[in-house]
Each structure stands twice: as C-alpha cells, then as structure tokens.
Amino acid sequence: MSELSPADIAKKAAAEAAVALIEDGMRLGLGTGSTAVFMVRALAERVKAEGLSLRCAATSVATAELAESLGIRIEALDDIGWLDLTLDGADEVDPDLNLIKGAGGALLREKIVAKASDRMVVMADGSKVVEVLGAFHLPVEVIPFGWQTTQELISRALDEIGLTQRPILLRKRDDEPYRTDEQNLILDLSLEEIPEPDRLAQRLNAIPGVVENGLFLHICDLALIGRPDGTVAELTAEEAGA
Ligand code: 5RP
C-alpha cells in the first residue's frame, strides 16, 4: 500500500476517531469525500470485527457504492426515518462549527442527511479550520432551467449584502457542466470571506433557482480535527460558544 501523505494521515485519524463514536444499533448518515472514504473503510472494519448491527443512509451515490462494496448495507433515508449520528467531512470549519461543504458536489444530500440527525460530527484535517468562512469557494446547487438567470440573481444578492464583484463559476468536469446526484448544476462563489453567513444563506435560498447552498450553519455538534502525527483534537459547539 502506498504511503499516506501528512494530510491523509490527519484525515484518517479524524475518520477513525469519528468511527469510534459509533455504538451498536445506531442509525447513521455516511458523508462524502476523501475523509468520508477513510470513515467508511474504518466502519466496515468495525462492522466485520464486532458484528455491529447498524442502519446506514448515504449522502451520495459514490458513498453508497463504496459502503456496499465493503459489506455495509445502505438504506434509503426515508426507510430509516431519523438518524442518531452523521459523520461527514468539510471544506471549512469556523470557531462556531459553521461549515462550508460541497467541494465533492454532495451538499444537498449531505444537508438533508445532517438535518435528519440527532448529531452531526465533522472529520477534517487542520487545513480546514478557519477563523472566518469564505476563503474556500462556496458551492451553490441550482437547477439547470434558467441557471444563468439564477447566477445573475445570485450576483445581485451578493451586491446587496456588500459582496460586490465576486466571481461565480459554473462547476465543470471534463469540460462539461458538472451534474450532482440530483442532476443539478453547481455554481462556485469566490467570496474571500463571509462576514454574515446566516444572512447570506437566507438570501441565497430565497432565489427560486437555488436548491441549496454549501453553508452548514448551526448543524455541526463536534469537529474532530486530525493532525499529521495521528492525534486528533476535538472542537465542540459549546467551546465555540455557539
Ligand atoms: C462533499 C463535501 C466533503 O465532505 C468536503 O468537500 C470535504 O471533502 P474531503 O474530505 O475530500 O476534504 O462536502 O460534498
């Protein structure tokens, strides 16, 4: 097996710490992304070793396929109904445990699953911890119909809240517009910083063509931040004063 990079050691450590929180009988939400891949692998090992009985919903087709390939049965969220715990990665984590998510394009299902959970735990390496959200692009999922009009409306909404002249890019993959699992498009907003995330999230979601935005506000309960030496720091919402 190839050697892990320092960032991957940190992600793996955070993922393993998250999997250690799982108890027999739990209903789980499984996140998406490279950290979530470590989590799903660690979960599969625990299931095999301990014969855990779990019910799992996935936040993307990719995660569902990986989990199933490792022997973890995936059910539809609506068949499970409510989840005890969701484990997911993040692109940015601020001191209040507010997040930017969606670099992997799964923000819509991720938010639905996280909001259907008693607890959301984020696993990340230290590069994701920021003082103020927004250096990372903010993904916004939009429906394909009239997407350029939606882009214009987003641009006007940004202007109105003082985020003027911010580039908005249609996400592409292999030179084609990227499609989410719901067959929607993603607009990536380069905002530099987001001083009022609640206000921005509300403004974005009030635009008709916007399905959801990548701001996960007041949702995360605990962030497990892995370090390259394999240790993990815990950041809680209480500590953060949220
Ligand atoms: C996917 C996500 C991911 O959780 C986020 O992009 C973090 O990914 P990674 O663990 O690969 O850094 O939100 O939509």
Side-chain angles (χ1 to χ4, degrees):
M1 205 173 108
S2 62
E3 229 171 75
L4 293 178
S5 67
D8 280 345
I9 292 171
K11 288 179 184 188
K12 186 166 180 276
E16 288 173 354
V19 167
L21 301 173
I22 294 169
E23 292 168 16
D24 194 31
M26 273 188 167
R27 298 158 298 173
L28 295 177
L30 307 182
T32 295
S34 56
T35 317
V37 167
F38 286 119
M39 178 272 292
V40 171
R41 287 193 187 136
L43 175 60
E45 279 174 23
R46 267 200 73 188
V47 168
K48 225 180 251 171
E50 299 172 40
L52 297 179
S53 167
L54 304 167
R55 299 190 71 185
C56 299
T59 54
S60 63
V61 171
T63 294
E65 286 176 354
L66 174 68
E68 298 268 13
S69 77
L70 296 172
I72 300 170
R73 193 165 79 89
I74 296 296
E75 298 180 63
L77 176 64
D78 286 342
D79 288 341
I80 304 177
W82 193 258
L83 305 172
D84 298 295
L85 176 64
T86 283
L87 305 177
D88 205 346
D91 302 309
E92 284 188 345
V93 183
D94 83 2
D96 292 328
L97 300 192
N98 289 324
L99 316 169
I100 287 182
K101 285 184 53 55
L107 66 107
L108 176 58
R109 291 191 187 189
E110 287 172 336
K111 203 180 269 190
I112 292 170
V113 168
K115 290 284 257 183
S117 308
D118 282 341
R119 236 174 139 217
M120 181 201 194
V121 174
V122 156
M123 318 154 290
D125 66 279
S127 70
K128 309 292 184 66
V129 179
V130 298
E131 273 306 308
V132 178
L133 297 175
F136 196 85
H137 58 254
L138 175 67
V140 178
E141 182 157 345
V142 302
I143 66 163
F145 178 85
W147 71 268
Q148 288 174 92
T149 304
T150 303
Q151 177 173 351
E152 174 58 26
L153 290 172
I154 290 173
S155 181
R156 289 186 196 181
L158 294 179
D159 274 353
E160 280 166 25
I161 60 174
L163 295 167
T164 48
Q165 307 271 323
R166 298 303 202 270
I168 302 176
L169 272 186
L170 178 67
R171 190 178 295 185
K172 299 220 170 150
R173 183 186 274 175
D174 301 330
D175 272 344
E176 292 296 320
Y178 172 84
R179 293 288 183 139
T180 68
D181 284 345
E182 305 302 324
Q183 298 307 308
N184 290 319
L185 303 171
I186 296 220
L187 296 174
D188 286 311
L189 282 45
S190 298
L191 301 176
E192 293 161 30
E193 63 173 39
I194 305 173
E196 295 177 280
D198 287 281
R199 188 167 173 220
L200 177 61
Q202 278 169 15
R203 292 303 290 262
L204 290 172
N205 282 13
I207 296 167
V210 169
V211 183
E212 194 44 85
N213 69 82
L215 285 166
F216 283 52
L217 308 176
H218 323 291
I219 297 177
C220 176
D221 301 284
L222 171 69
L224 296 169
I225 309 299
R227 302 188 186 99
D229 67 1
T231 59
V232 177
E234 290 191 6
L235 268 179
T236 62
E238 292 79 40
E239 268 168 33

Short mmCIF file of all heavy atoms in Angstrom, two decimals, residues 11 32-36 88-91 101-107 110 128, ligand 1:
data_model
loop_
_atom_site.label_atom_id
_atom_site.label_comp_id
_atom_site.label_asym_id
_atom_site.label_seq_id
_atom_site.Cartn_x
_atom_site.Cartn_y
_atom_site.Cartn_z
N LYS A 11 -6.52 13.06 8.05
CA LYS A 11 -7.91 12.72 7.69
C LYS A 11 -8.29 11.35 8.23
O LYS A 11 -9.38 11.15 8.78
CB LYS A 11 -8.08 12.71 6.16
CG LYS A 11 -8.06 14.07 5.52
CD LYS A 11 -8.20 13.95 4.02
CE LYS A 11 -8.07 15.30 3.34
NZ LYS A 11 -8.38 15.26 1.91
N THR A 32 -19.60 12.27 2.47
CA THR A 32 -18.98 12.13 1.15
C THR A 32 -17.63 12.85 1.13
O THR A 32 -17.46 13.85 1.82
CB THR A 32 -19.92 12.73 0.08
OG1 THR A 32 -21.12 11.96 0.05
CG2 THR A 32 -19.29 12.72 -1.30
N GLY A 33 -16.70 12.31 0.33
CA GLY A 33 -15.40 12.96 0.17
C GLY A 33 -14.28 12.03 0.58
O GLY A 33 -14.51 10.90 1.02
N SER A 34 -13.04 12.55 0.50
CA SER A 34 -11.89 11.68 0.77
C SER A 34 -11.80 11.30 2.25
O SER A 34 -11.38 10.19 2.58
CB SER A 34 -10.60 12.36 0.31
OG SER A 34 -10.45 13.62 0.93
N THR A 35 -12.20 12.19 3.16
CA THR A 35 -12.18 11.84 4.58
C THR A 35 -13.27 10.82 4.88
O THR A 35 -13.07 9.89 5.67
CB THR A 35 -12.36 13.11 5.45
OG1 THR A 35 -11.56 14.16 4.89
CG2 THR A 35 -11.93 12.86 6.89
N ALA A 36 -14.40 11.00 4.22
CA ALA A 36 -15.50 10.04 4.40
C ALA A 36 -15.12 8.65 3.88
O ALA A 36 -15.57 7.64 4.41
CB ALA A 36 -16.76 10.55 3.71
N ASP A 88 -19.32 13.31 8.59
CA ASP A 88 -19.06 13.86 7.26
C ASP A 88 -17.81 14.74 7.31
O ASP A 88 -17.38 15.17 8.38
CB ASP A 88 -20.28 14.69 6.80
CG ASP A 88 -20.37 14.79 5.28
OD1 ASP A 88 -19.38 14.47 4.59
OD2 ASP A 88 -21.43 15.20 4.78
N GLY A 89 -17.27 15.01 6.14
CA GLY A 89 -16.12 15.91 6.03
C GLY A 89 -16.60 17.34 5.87
O GLY A 89 -17.79 17.64 5.92
N ALA A 90 -15.64 18.26 5.67
CA ALA A 90 -15.99 19.67 5.45
C ALA A 90 -14.85 20.34 4.70
O ALA A 90 -13.71 19.88 4.74
CB ALA A 90 -16.23 20.38 6.78
N ASP A 91 -15.20 21.43 4.03
CA ASP A 91 -14.17 22.21 3.34
C ASP A 91 -13.64 23.34 4.21
O ASP A 91 -12.48 23.73 4.08
CB ASP A 91 -14.75 22.77 2.03
CG ASP A 91 -15.25 21.65 1.15
OD1 ASP A 91 -14.48 20.70 0.93
OD2 ASP A 91 -16.42 21.69 0.74
N LYS A 101 -19.40 23.29 2.89
CA LYS A 101 -19.32 21.94 2.34
C LYS A 101 -19.74 21.98 0.87
O LYS A 101 -20.36 22.92 0.42
CB LYS A 101 -20.25 20.98 3.11
CG LYS A 101 -19.69 20.62 4.47
CD LYS A 101 -20.55 19.60 5.21
CE LYS A 101 -20.88 18.34 4.44
NZ LYS A 101 -19.71 17.62 3.92
N GLY A 102 -19.36 20.91 0.16
CA GLY A 102 -19.85 20.79 -1.21
C GLY A 102 -18.78 20.72 -2.28
O GLY A 102 -19.11 20.66 -3.47
N ALA A 103 -17.49 20.69 -1.87
CA ALA A 103 -16.46 20.55 -2.90
C ALA A 103 -16.66 19.25 -3.68
O ALA A 103 -16.34 19.15 -4.85
CB ALA A 103 -15.07 20.59 -2.28
N GLY A 104 -17.20 18.25 -2.99
CA GLY A 104 -17.46 16.97 -3.67
C GLY A 104 -18.82 16.93 -4.36
O GLY A 104 -19.21 15.90 -4.91
N GLY A 105 -19.54 18.04 -4.32
CA GLY A 105 -20.79 18.14 -5.07
C GLY A 105 -21.99 17.49 -4.40
O GLY A 105 -23.06 17.40 -4.99
N ALA A 106 -21.83 17.08 -3.14
CA ALA A 106 -22.92 16.32 -2.50
C ALA A 106 -23.66 17.15 -1.44
O ALA A 106 -24.39 16.61 -0.61
CB ALA A 106 -22.36 15.05 -1.85
N LEU A 107 -23.52 18.48 -1.50
CA LEU A 107 -24.02 19.31 -0.39
C LEU A 107 -25.51 19.15 -0.12
O LEU A 107 -25.94 19.21 1.04
CB LEU A 107 -23.68 20.78 -0.65
CG LEU A 107 -24.37 21.44 -1.84
CD1 LEU A 107 -25.44 22.39 -1.41
CD2 LEU A 107 -23.34 22.16 -2.70
N GLU A 110 -26.10 15.88 1.60
CA GLU A 110 -25.38 15.98 2.88
C GLU A 110 -26.17 16.82 3.89
O GLU A 110 -26.26 16.48 5.07
CB GLU A 110 -24.00 16.60 2.67
CG GLU A 110 -23.02 15.65 1.99
CD GLU A 110 -21.71 16.31 1.60
OE1 GLU A 110 -21.68 17.55 1.42
OE2 GLU A 110 -20.72 15.59 1.46
N LYS A 128 -8.56 22.69 7.26
CA LYS A 128 -9.96 23.10 7.06
C LYS A 128 -10.45 24.09 8.13
O LYS A 128 -11.53 24.64 8.02
CB LYS A 128 -10.88 21.87 7.09
CG LYS A 128 -10.46 20.72 6.18
CD LYS A 128 -10.60 21.11 4.74
CE LYS A 128 -10.30 19.98 3.78
NZ LYS A 128 -11.19 18.87 3.81
C1 5RP B 1 -18.60 16.82 -0.39
C2 5RP B 1 -18.16 17.50 0.84
C3 5RP B 1 -16.94 16.95 1.52
O1 5RP B 1 -17.31 16.47 2.77
C4 5RP B 1 -15.93 18.04 1.64
O2 5RP B 1 -15.66 18.52 0.34
C5 5RP B 1 -14.63 17.53 2.27
O3 5RP B 1 -14.02 16.64 1.41
P1 5RP B 1 -12.63 15.94 1.74
O4 5RP B 1 -12.87 15.03 2.90
O5 5RP B 1 -12.30 15.20 0.47
O6 5RP B 1 -11.64 17.02 2.03
O7 5RP B 1 -18.73 18.43 1.33
O8 5RP B 1 -19.70 17.47 -0.96
#
